[in-house]
Amino acid sequence: MIRGFDRIKDELEDLKTGMLLSGKYDSRDAILSIHSGTGGVDANDWAEMLERMYLRYSEKKGFKTKILDRQDDVDYGIKSSTILVQGDNAYGMLKSETGVHRLVRISPFNAMGKRQTSFAAVEVVPDIGDDIEVNINPQDLKIDTYRSGGAGGQHVNTTDSAVRITHLPTGIVVTCQNERSQIMNREVAMKILVSKLTRLAEEEHKENLNEIKGDQSMATWGSQIRNYVFQPYTLVKDTRTGAEVGNVDAVMDGDIDVFVRAKLSQDAQEAIR
């Protein structure tokens, strides 16, 4: 009986949340990227923990996920991960996760058992698809190929099929290595680049791509949107909305709706002021 009530409550909350999704691209799929920041091996581990959190969240929401690119660290964790999240309102639900996420815990990599603060940056852009045509000057692109790394690349091919594309005017870099050929990796990488440039251009209200600049914010102290504290107490708190949860294990298992809904409500209230 209680489980049935909880399920109905969650469905009502989802309907309420859906009413807040009125953005131009909110209904689209999302491309979510995670990059380790300051904190050494702990930051790489933290980036991998966030990857798991978003995969679990997507699973709970019924979204389909596909890892497009994953850069494993030599020692532990990951340097970066790019995930395609497919489902109704995937971008709308995840867009507010963009920003720096800060972890405080007793480091398992510190023999002295000291607390360690680590950072990772999350970026979420809508999957623009083929609906919008963006004119990109080929001379503005630097395209590199390299050997795929990590489980996906090692099992998929043995050639230099991974692709890295740098958009020189903005400094935006996108990579893809988990498709089966260099051509496919290049197509997916260009798709991600177009999505990032489109969102960035709209945010800066620019029509000329040469006038926009890439995000230069660093994944380090003072720029975080959310703090995850494991010791000496447990608390996850969003610095923008004040929303907080004491059960850090549940959050890391994908229960982030409280933060998603709080930010959507805040944005909706600010929009009508």
Side-chain angles (χ1 to χ4, degrees):
M1 185 69 178
I2 295 178
R3 290 182 179 178
F5 176 78
D6 289 340
R7 185 176 67 252
I8 293 174
K9 182 180 178 182
D10 288 340
E11 290 176 352
L12 289 174
E13 287 293 338
D14 285 341
L15 288 173
K16 180 180 178 181
T17 301
M19 296 175 64
L20 299 174
L21 300 175
S22 58
K24 184 176 181 180
Y25 301 116
D26 283 354
S27 64
R28 292 182 178 265
D29 298 337
I31 299 172
L32 185 148
S33 301
I34 304 165
H35 301 275
S36 64
T38 303
V41 66
D42 279 277
N44 297 331
D45 185 40
W46 176 225
E48 188 169 40
M49 291 167 66
L50 286 175
E51 178 191 55
R52 178 186 180 277
M53 182 184 80
Y54 288 119
L55 289 173
R56 289 304 310 274
Y57 173 74
S58 299
E59 180 183 353
K60 292 174 184 290
K61 288 297 178 185
F63 298 151
K64 294 182 179 179
T65 57
K66 179 181 181 180
I67 296 179
L68 302 176
D69 186 77
R70 195 174 195 265
Q71 304 292 330
D72 295 324
D73 182 63
V74 175
D75 297 318
Y76 206 88
I78 60 174
K79 289 289 188 180
S80 66
S81 177
T82 300
I83 307 167
L84 173 63
V85 184
Q86 298 175 297
D88 293 339
N89 296 322
Y91 175 66
M93 297 293 286
L94 286 166
K95 63 183 180 181
S96 61
E97 291 301 297
T98 293
V100 176
H101 297 244
R102 171 177 173 252
L103 168 69
V104 179
R105 67 172 179 179
I106 302 297
S107 172
F109 307 104
N110 188 311
M112 302 295 290
K114 293 183 178 180
R115 277 202 305 168
Q116 172 76 28
T117 300
S118 311
F119 300 86
V122 174
E123 180 186 21
V124 185
V125 298
D127 182 2
I128 301 300
D130 300 322
D131 298 341
I132 298 176
E133 183 177 346
V134 177
N135 294 319
I136 300 176
N137 188 340
Q139 294 182 349
D140 288 340
L141 301 178
K142 178 185 177 184
I143 302 177
D144 301 303
T145 59
Y146 57 97
R147 189 172 298 276
S148 296
Q154 292 172 358
H155 291 8
V156 170
N157 57 68
T158 58
T159 61
D160 293 347
S161 65
V163 175
R164 178 189 300 109
I165 301 179
T166 304
H167 185 250
L168 299 176
T170 61
I172 293 176
V173 179
V174 296
T175 58
C176 185
Q177 67 169 327
N178 281 13
E179 299 298 333
R180 293 185 175 277
S181 71
Q182 185 181 122
I183 294 176
M184 294 175 67
N185 280 324
R186 179 168 175 162
E187 289 178 352
V188 172
M190 280 299 299
K191 179 180 180 180
I192 298 172
L193 177 61
V194 168
S195 294
K196 289 190 175 186
L197 287 173
T198 300
R199 192 199 67 170
L200 189 58
E202 292 196 347
E203 286 181 350
E204 299 193 359
H205 306 289
K206 303 289 187 181
E207 293 184 1
N208 187 346
L209 292 179
N210 291 322
E211 296 180 9
I212 65 176
K213 303 296 182 184
D215 183 6
Q216 302 299 320
S217 62
M218 298 294 291
T220 187
W221 185 274
S223 58
Q224 65 270 13
I225 64 166
R226 192 174 302 148
N227 295 310
Y228 303 70
V229 181
F230 284 55
Q231 284 99 10
Y233 54 88
T234 60
L235 180 68
V236 182
K237 184 171 183 177
D238 196 289
T239 62
R240 303 162 300 179
T241 65
E244 59 182 55
V245 174
N247 188 345
V248 68
D249 290 333
V251 171
M252 298 313 302
D253 203 34
D255 291 344
I256 62 172
D257 271 331
V258 62
F259 305 111
V260 170
R261 291 165 179 164
K263 189 63 174 72
L264 287 173
S265 296
Q266 183 185 68
D267 291 344
Q269 292 173 6
E270 291 179 351
I272 62 177
R273 288 177 181 173

